[in-house]
Amino acid sequence: MTIHRKSLAAILLLVGATSACRLDMHMQPYYRTMSKSDFFADGRSARLPVEGTVARGDLNEDSYFYTGKIGNEPGDALPFPVTAEVLARGRERFNINCTPCHGRVGDGKGFIPSRGFRQPPSYHIERLRKAPIGYFFDVMTHGFGVMPEYGTQVAPRDRWCIAAYIRALQLSQNAASGDIPSGQKIPTPAPKFREIGNGATLPVEDKTPVGEGTEGKGSEEKK
């Protein structure tokens, strides 16, 4: 019993000791942003960065990579090689960030314009087909017209990947037979869809074999 009482007394003492400092631990003194301080000679609570220092990730030595411009004009080259992985990444980011307004083929017929918002121009008009690729990067970075800026939402490399994919979309809708490499077959007709999707849902392709649909049955009956 004596041992039990001693243990209980020790526990109570420990609880009392820890509760005594609990208030200070929760209410630690600190300076609010831009508040005054009497500790420093200049009266500021925050210290200025050491002269010449740059925050990690903010060096941005390659100005073209981060602006898409050469001087004041948009450039017409990607700052890194275009690979299948780059286009795949661009397609993924495009479908997430751009499709709701611009549509999956870049024709401006996305889900949001169908609800009464202003329809963006198609990527396939002559003006945008001739626009340098740096133009698309700059528009994504700073916005244009009613389009908001995406510079704070989409990383610079992803913006370049999207720009590369936009070029691929433009070629896909305006390619000529001379653009097809020798030895490569001409692509099959565009797939047909049972549901085209709305920007939030993916399209559902109609994979009904030729001859099994309504048209095929009609042809067989005529025979």
Side-chain angles (χ1 to χ4, degrees), residues 30-46:
Y30 67 95
Y31 285 107
R32 295 185 181 276
T33 304
M34 304 301 292
S35 61
K36 184 179 179 180
S37 169
D38 296 330
F39 185 81
F40 297 103
D42 60 2
R44 300 182 182 183
S45 60

Side-chain angles (χ1 to χ4, degrees), residues 63-114:
S63 62
Y64 182 63
F65 179 83
Y66 290 100
T67 65
K69 293 183 177 181
I70 300 175
N72 294 323
E73 298 297 326
D76 201 17
L78 257 74
F80 47 81
V82 179
T83 63
E85 290 74 17
V86 167
L87 291 177
R89 178 68 177 180
R91 178 183 181 182
E92 178 192 52
R93 298 293 97 185
F94 179 89
N95 287 340
I96 291 173
N97 297 286
C98 312
T99 292
C101 287
H102 292 277
R104 288 189 171 270
V105 296
D107 57 2
K109 299 178 181 179
F111 177 74
I112 291 179
S114 71

Side-chain angles (χ1 to χ4, degrees), residues 206-218:
D206 186 358
K207 296 185 178 180
T208 304
V210 177
E212 294 186 10
T214 304
E215 295 180 1
K217 290 182 180 179

Side-chain angles (χ1 to χ4, degrees), residues 12-50:
L12 292 175
L13 180 62
L14 178 62
V15 171
T18 55
S19 63
C21 64
R22 182 175 178 80
L23 183 62
D24 288 340
M25 293 179 67
H26 279 268
M27 302 294 292
Q28 297 183 35
Y30 67 95
Y31 285 107
R32 295 185 181 276
T33 304
M34 304 301 292
S35 61
K36 184 179 179 180
S37 169
D38 296 330
F39 185 81
F40 297 103
D42 60 2
R44 300 182 182 183
S45 60
R47 300 294 82 209
L48 295 175
V50 177

